[in-house]
Structure formats: C-alpha cells, structure tokens
Amino acid sequence: MDWDDAYANAAHIPGADAYPARWAEAAAAFRARARGETDLAYGDHARQRFDVFLPAGRPAGLMVFVHGGYWLRFDKSLWSHLAAGPVARGWAVALPSYRLAPEVAIAQITADIAAALSVMARFAAGPIALAGHSAGGHLVARMICEDVPLPDSVAARIARVVPISPVSDLRPLMRTRMNEAFGLDDATARAESLVCQTPRAGVPVKVWVGADERPAFLDQARWLAEAWPGTGLHVAEGRHHFDVIEGLADPDSPLTGAVIGGLAGEGERS
C-alpha cells in the first residue's frame, strides 16, 4: 500500500491548488465586516495567537474552530469566514493558530490548543462547542480526553465536539514521509491517537466526514465513532476533504446545526 498516497488529499481533488487562495479571500472579506478582535495572545510564541468574532448581542456561547493542515501548515487567517454561520446564530467564535511540526511534537500542539481554550473561554459565557478539521478534528477531540488537563471550569462548559474529517489514529502516519516531521514512534502515536484514549463522560461527539473523501479518512472517521461509545457519524454526500467544512459559513447548514444547534436554548434551524 502507498501510505503517502492514501493520506494525500490535494492530489485527488480537482482544482485543489485554488482552494488556499479562495479560503484566504473569503476569510479576509469576513474579517473586514465582522465584530471582534484579532491576534490575541495565549502564549509567548508568535503562532500562539487567536481571533475572536462576536455577534451583535450577548453570545449564546462560544464555538471554537481549529484548522487542519496535518499539524504542518496553515494558520487561523485562512478560516475566519467559517465563523459566519455560528456568529449569525448568536455565537461568539474563536479560531486559534498553534505551533507546527517539526518545530514541536504533536503532543505540544495538543497542549497549545488546551492553553488556547482556557484563554478563549473568557470571551463568552455559556456552553462551548468545539469543531476542527482534519488535524484540527484530532485536536478538538483531544480536549475531552481524560489525559488532557483543562481547568474544571472550562472542561465543564464543553457541550459538544464535532471532529470534521479527523485523524483519529496516528499510527498509520508512521508509514508516511510526513513522519520525518512528526517523529512518531509507537508510544507517541498511541498517546496522541483518539482511538487509544478515553473521552470524558457526558460530552456528545459527532464525527463529520465527506462521502467523497479518501478511503483513509472515511476509515479514520469510522474508527473514532466505533472507539468512543455513543459517538455519532455523519457522512456528507458530495463533499470532499477541502469543501466538507464550507457549511460552517452558512447559519442554516446541517454542519452549523450539528455544531451548535439546540445548545443554550439555540433553536434548531437545520
């Protein structure tokens, strides 16, 4: 099996090269019209920054979106427009950047998101909904694993987690060239694999994945749903790895509803 090809997304998506510029343009346009603050610090590193976008009134809660890129690339600036759906439904939305491999190990990136969450939680009261894409799906789900320390006041507010096309088992990545940057061995891969961890009780999890994604990502989504009791799995028809997240920009999309619908008295609209 060609493990590098199995986990290669862009090579199998028509027009993949155009997506980053499209994301950046949409994100910049949203920031130009949105209420909020950008480049707030949660640590000393230049990448330990986050943006927060606010609705017109008192927020119903806080939604956090963590970007993907195989823990190797991208930052918060490409994804601001994905706050549009939740903001339109009255939620505050925070988007963190984080340190990248190979500068740091994946375990340290997990620690970055935990540190960011503790700071971002101060920007809105009420429930916290976590969503993340690809590597970001791994990172948000890690926040409810028993081995990740969070302040009790923050952990108690996490009301839902939606990992979108997550990497839930890192052990296959040991067979890819990316592992030159990750430096994973069996012990470190197991320690960061969601399927090898125990989630905190009482937090609903719904895994979301595109029907047109690579078989490896369909497997990764299914593995998490099977490993964590009570976890739901939604396969979005007609969606691939790059456009599966687009629904977050729409307040009435099924994806936005899956992340925040019904929380804090927020009425289901999707």
Side-chain angles (χ1 to χ4, degrees), residues 5 9-10 30-31 40 46 58 60 68 73 76 89 100 130 134 206 255:
D5 183 68
N9 289 297
F30 177 79
R31 287 195 300 275
L40 301 170
R58 182 178 179 179
R73 60 185 67 90
K76 59 185 174 58
R89 288 174 69 151
L100 299 174
L130 304 179
S134 197
K206 186 161 193 174
L255 179 54

Side-chain angles (χ1 to χ4, degrees), residues 42 62 64 96 111-122 128-130 140 143 150-151 154-155 157-158:
Y42 66 87
L62 176 70
V64 173
D112 274 5
I113 299 304
L117 185 55
S118 295
V119 176
M120 295 184 299
R122 303 170 190 168
I128 296 173
L130 304 179
V140 294
M143 295 303 101
L150 287 175
V154 174
R157 291 176 55 195
I158 299 176

